[in-house]
Amino acid sequence: MAKSLRKKTLIIIGITIVCLIVVLYGVSQVLLLHSFDELEEQNTRQNVERVTNALAHELSQLDTTTYDWAAWDDTYAFIEDRNEEYIASNLIDGTFADLELNLMLFIDSSGQIVFGKAFDLETEEEIPLLPPSLLEHLAPDAPLVRHTSTESSVSGIILLAEDPLLVASRPIITSLDEGPVRGALIMGRYLDAAEVADIAEITQLSFSVHRFADSQLSSNLQEAKSSLSEDTPVFIQPLSEESIAGYTLLEDIYGNPGLILEVDIPRAIARQGQATLQYLI
């Protein structure tokens, strides 16, 4: 009788312990993992911002370089007299390589191209022709061409058939920042695989860019495209147990959706949450 009672007691205690462990596991999974999920989302959002800030920095540097060349007496004289000495001294291949530029355009006040040069940064050689798809952005009243004041500036992304282009445009004025404005100087750098790799190395993050209007986007990108909005500037979704992605829109210089930025991040935080929960149990 005593043995039977002791056995029943042990069974009841065992079942109670098991039930408590199950309850503990359930509660811990909800509370603990939810906290880790929030940390993972916050980390992903911050990493998306890091990449967008790095792109903004690249554009800022490009704009500064363009200003340095556009607000220069030598450039101010060249746009009028078109002297060959300016070209021979300044617009050599080494300049493009040093400044990491794929193109430079000097446009006079009437909207005519005075000088233009395209350059391949990988081979470090001049490209015979400017990108044909660039011409549609160079109408006389286009934002890149028309500057109405000495303080005017335009920088951002334009979508060319070849690759997206980081571009900056400044009015051609004197070294004293005085006019009248004699035209526009445009500088550009492709946001191609090499540029993406350079920024990825700086940020230590893996990312890619995709055209917003691409009809062949993957299902993940399609979902991100439909979810991104003014109210949801960053969209986050797990890709697998190993990685999570953050997405945001990059507008072109006209204010239209141009590119979808995708940042892929290993799920180290989620794995740490699972390990913590297992250790706790």
Side-chain angles (χ1 to χ4, degrees):
M1 184 72 178
K3 286 185 177 180
S4 176
L5 182 60
R6 185 167 62 249
K7 183 177 180 182
K8 288 180 180 180
T9 302
L10 289 175
I11 291 174
I12 292 171
I13 292 173
I15 292 174
T16 302
I17 290 174
V18 170
C19 290
L20 286 173
I21 291 176
V22 170
V23 171
L24 175 63
Y25 180 82
V27 172
S28 299
Q29 189 172 42
V30 171
L31 298 180
L32 184 64
L33 293 188
H34 178 69
S35 298
F36 276 93
D37 287 344
E38 287 184 341
L39 285 173
E40 183 180 55
E41 183 174 323
Q42 181 181 357
N43 178 67
T44 303
R45 196 178 303 277
Q46 289 174 344
N47 284 326
V48 171
E49 290 175 358
R50 281 175 58 193
V51 176
T52 55
N53 289 339
L55 283 168
H57 180 68
E58 290 290 308
L59 279 170
S60 177
Q61 285 190 319
L62 184 61
D63 179 62
T64 299
T65 302
T66 306
Y67 167 74
D68 289 342
W69 279 67
W72 184 26
D73 287 341
D74 288 7
T75 303
Y76 198 67
F78 168 71
I79 203 71
E80 288 286 310
D81 61 28
R82 311 185 183 196
N83 65 86
E84 293 294 326
E85 183 180 347
Y86 179 92
I87 297 174
S89 300
N90 301 296
L91 304 178
I92 58 176
D93 289 354
T95 299
F96 283 76
D98 291 342
L99 298 178
E100 297 183 338
L101 295 176
N102 287 112
L103 64 87
M104 288 180 70
L105 287 171
F106 295 78
I107 301 176
D108 64 20
S109 55
S110 66
Q112 299 299 310
I113 299 176
V114 171
F115 177 85
K117 179 174 177 177
F119 188 76
D120 189 321
L121 287 171
E122 186 173 348
T123 63
E124 297 193 346
E125 294 179 347
E126 181 178 357
I127 300 172
L129 296 174
L130 292 169
S133 57
L134 178 63
L135 298 178
E136 65 185 78
H137 301 280
L138 301 178
D141 60 345
L144 290 175
V145 175
R146 182 171 175 77
H147 292 285
T148 57
S149 74
T150 57
E151 298 177 353
S152 173
S153 68
V154 176
S155 62
I157 299 170
I158 57 175
L159 301 180
L160 302 184
E162 295 76 14
D163 280 298
L165 185 73
L166 302 178
V167 66
S169 175
R170 284 277 187 165
I172 295 176
I173 52 179
T174 70
S175 298
L176 297 176
D177 290 344
E178 296 175 346
V181 174
R182 286 187 174 176
L185 173 59
I186 300 171
M187 293 184 177
R189 181 186 305 133
Y190 284 121
L191 185 57
D192 54 14
E195 178 68 5
V196 167
D198 287 343
I199 297 174
E201 185 175 357
I202 293 170
T203 58
Q204 293 297 296
L205 292 168
S206 174
F207 77 95
S208 55
V209 291
H210 312 270
R211 292 178 186 260
F212 183 83
D214 188 355
S215 60
Q216 304 299 317
L217 293 175
S218 67
S219 57
N220 290 331
L221 286 164
Q222 289 283 6
E223 184 176 353
K225 178 179 177 178
S226 62
S227 300
L228 289 167
S229 66
E230 195 171 317
D231 295 329
T232 309
V234 177
F235 175 69
I236 298 170
Q237 68 172 342
L239 301 178
S240 67
E241 292 184 358
E242 302 299 323
S243 66
I244 189 171
Y247 304 86
T248 193
L249 283 178
L250 302 177
E251 294 183 343
D252 62 17
I253 62 170
Y254 308 106
N256 301 317
L259 300 171
I260 300 175
L261 171 69
E262 178 182 17
V263 182
D264 296 326
I265 303 162
R267 301 194 69 182
I269 294 176
R271 288 197 297 272
Q272 182 61 46
Q274 291 288 351
T276 302
L277 178 60
Q278 291 173 7
Y279 177 78
L280 174 64
I281 297 304

